[in-house]
């Protein structure tokens, strides 16, 4: 048990990024964390962390040990929590990571409902679009949009979303409405920046609009700023249906009557196999399933 505790201190400290942050998460002092990790290094006969006055970094041996150490800790936590709380109300810290626009627009407004239903759960939500390793970063559930690659993670399909091209009424009055994919070459298509370049507009049949379609006066890596730009009449917006449905309902945006099919994306909840055993992770995934099912039932025909 002493060794297991030391492994937990090591894993938590690396995930937190510093001795101070790890100590805060563990509820101990930074010096206690440092002593524990030093004891583990003595036991293993290797140096796990290269320490400096300002930061810490994994050594080669530390990087090799981290993944397996994280799995050991998670399996132990899952086993003990399953035994202790199989019949009890879910409780404890729940770490969730979601794609930015999904978290802000779809998940965020429903978080109070979840926390009211499970008052003993403490939710920690991070929003980012890049791929992460939930095991290495201590994440219980990750929400992602799109097809999944090969992974050791468990994936539960929550539903699907589709893309729309929208513009403000004022923009359409000035520039007309695109009716075919080729028409987009005459329009300013606001671009979502990925790796410094606008992301191409893609359609279900694999076709792309002409290159001129992504030459807009405003491009950004923030989906909400693109939404505001489209409402202001700066150009057309290519986005997910849930992201624009409020603006459509208020009449701030209108969907372009393109005959070309839109692209549909699946949404999944991803979690390490051991984490789904945790009651708090299980009820959160079930809550997400309810959320997407309610959304499907409320959707107008044809969405």
């Amino acid at each position: 048990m002493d060794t297991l505790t030391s492994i937990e201190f090591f894993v938590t400290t690396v995930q937190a990024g510093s001795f101070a942050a790890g100590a805060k998460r563990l509820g101990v002092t930074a010096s206690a964390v440092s002593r524990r990790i030093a004891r583990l290094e003595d036991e293993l006969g290797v140096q796990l962390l290269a320490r400096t006055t300002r930061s810490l970094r994994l050594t080669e041996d530390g990087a090799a040990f981290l993944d397996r150490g994280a799995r050991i800790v998670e399996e132990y936590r899952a086993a003990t929590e399953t035994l202790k709380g199989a019949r009890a109300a879910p409780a404890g810290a729940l770490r969730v990571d979601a794609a930015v626009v999904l978290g802000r627009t779809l998940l965020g407004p429903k978080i109070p409902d979840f926390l009211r239903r499970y008052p003993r759960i403490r939710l920690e939500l991070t929003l980012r679009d890049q791929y992460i390793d939930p095991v290495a970063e201590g994440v219980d559930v990750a929400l992602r949009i799109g097809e999944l690659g090969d992974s050791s993670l468990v994936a539960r399909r929550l539903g699907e979303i589709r893309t729309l091209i929208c513009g403000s009424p004022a923009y359409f009055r000035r520039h007309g409405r695109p009716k075919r994919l080729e028409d987009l070459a005459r329009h300013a298509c606001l671009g979502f920046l990925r790796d410094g370049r606008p992301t191409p507009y893609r359609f279900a049949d694999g076709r792309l609009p002409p290159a001129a379609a992504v030459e807009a006066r405003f491009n950004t890596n923030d989906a909400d700023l693109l939404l505001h730009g489209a409402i202001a009449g700066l150009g057309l917006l290519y986005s997910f249906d849930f992201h624009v449905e409020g603006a459509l309902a208020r009449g701030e945006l209108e969907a372009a009557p393109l005959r070309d099919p839109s692209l549909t994306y699946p949404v999944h909840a991803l979690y390490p196999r051991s984490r789904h055993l945790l009651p708090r992770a299980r009820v959160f995934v079930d809550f997400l399933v309810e959320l997407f099912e309610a959304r499907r039932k409320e959707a107008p025909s044809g969405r």
Side-chain angles (χ1 to χ4, degrees):
M1 288 298 296
D2 189 63
T3 300
L4 181 60
T5 301
S6 298
I7 295 174
E8 181 181 18
F9 276 41
F10 165 69
V11 171
T12 302
T13 298
V14 174
Q15 291 173 347
S18 69
F19 285 109
K24 183 177 181 180
R25 185 175 293 184
L26 291 163
V28 298
T29 64
S31 59
V33 172
S34 181
R35 289 195 300 270
R36 276 283 184 179
I37 295 177
R39 189 182 309 171
L40 178 63
E41 290 174 323
D42 289 340
E43 184 176 340
L44 296 176
V46 298
Q47 185 179 6
L48 299 173
L49 296 174
R51 301 161 176 82
T52 68
T53 55
R54 293 186 177 182
S55 63
L56 57 85
R57 64 176 177 83
L58 286 168
T59 64
E60 185 176 345
D61 289 325
F65 184 74
L66 176 62
D67 183 59
R68 291 190 176 184
R71 294 180 188 277
I72 290 170
V73 172
E74 287 307 314
E75 289 290 347
Y76 176 74
R77 288 175 178 170
T80 55
E81 291 201 27
T82 299
L83 290 175
K84 292 178 181 179
R87 301 180 184 277
L94 175 66
R95 299 184 179 94
V96 176
D97 189 272
V100 176
V101 67
L102 185 66
R104 286 181 180 173
T105 308
L106 198 57
L107 178 59
K110 299 298 182 182
I111 286 175
D113 295 338
F114 175 77
L115 294 178
R116 280 192 290 269
R117 187 183 300 185
Y118 300 103
R120 297 179 61 192
I121 289 179
R122 185 176 71 257
L123 181 63
E124 299 177 6
L125 175 64
T126 56
L127 302 181
R128 47 189 162 176
D129 290 324
Q130 66 268 34
Y131 172 82
I132 66 163
D133 181 349
V135 175
E137 300 208 22
V139 170
D140 298 307
V141 182
L143 277 70
R144 287 298 179 265
I145 300 171
E147 297 296 339
L148 303 176
D150 294 335
S151 173
S152 61
L153 301 174
V154 178
R156 184 167 180 182
R157 188 182 177 106
L158 302 174
E160 60 183 30
I161 55 178
R162 70 184 182 97
T163 53
L164 296 173
I165 291 184
C166 303
S168 70
Y171 178 89
F172 285 140
R173 284 195 298 271
R174 291 195 305 268
H175 303 285
R177 301 171 185 268
K179 297 180 179 179
R180 299 176 304 159
L181 191 62
E182 292 75 15
D183 294 342
L184 294 177
R186 298 185 290 100
H187 289 269
C189 297
L190 306 181
F192 184 84
L193 293 177
R194 192 179 300 277
D195 298 325
R197 303 186 65 179
T199 303
Y201 289 18
R202 297 184 182 275
F203 290 80
D205 58 5
R207 286 192 295 158
L208 304 178
V214 293
E215 295 180 0
R217 294 176 57 205
F218 179 49
N219 302 300
T220 178
N221 66 341
D222 187 281
D224 285 345
L225 290 179
L226 287 179
L227 176 64
H228 295 319
I231 292 173
L234 298 182
L236 299 179
L237 173 66
Y238 183 64
S239 189
F240 298 119
D241 54 1
F242 68 83
H243 187 223
V244 298
E245 60 188 7
L248 291 172
R250 293 188 296 269
E252 297 170 333
L253 291 178
E254 297 175 358
L258 286 169
R259 291 193 293 270
D260 297 271
S262 64
L263 194 60
T264 298
Y265 292 88
V267 181
H268 291 90
L270 309 175
Y271 46 87
R273 295 186 183 279
S274 61
R275 305 272 175 105
H276 192 51
L277 298 174
L278 302 180
R280 58 181 178 269
R282 185 175 62 250
V283 296
F284 182 72
V285 173
D286 290 342
F287 182 81
L288 294 174
V289 171
E290 291 179 20
L291 171 61
F292 275 83
E293 179 62 19
R295 173 178 166 77
R296 186 188 65 79
K297 291 180 179 178
E298 294 171 1
S301 59
R303 188 174 84 176

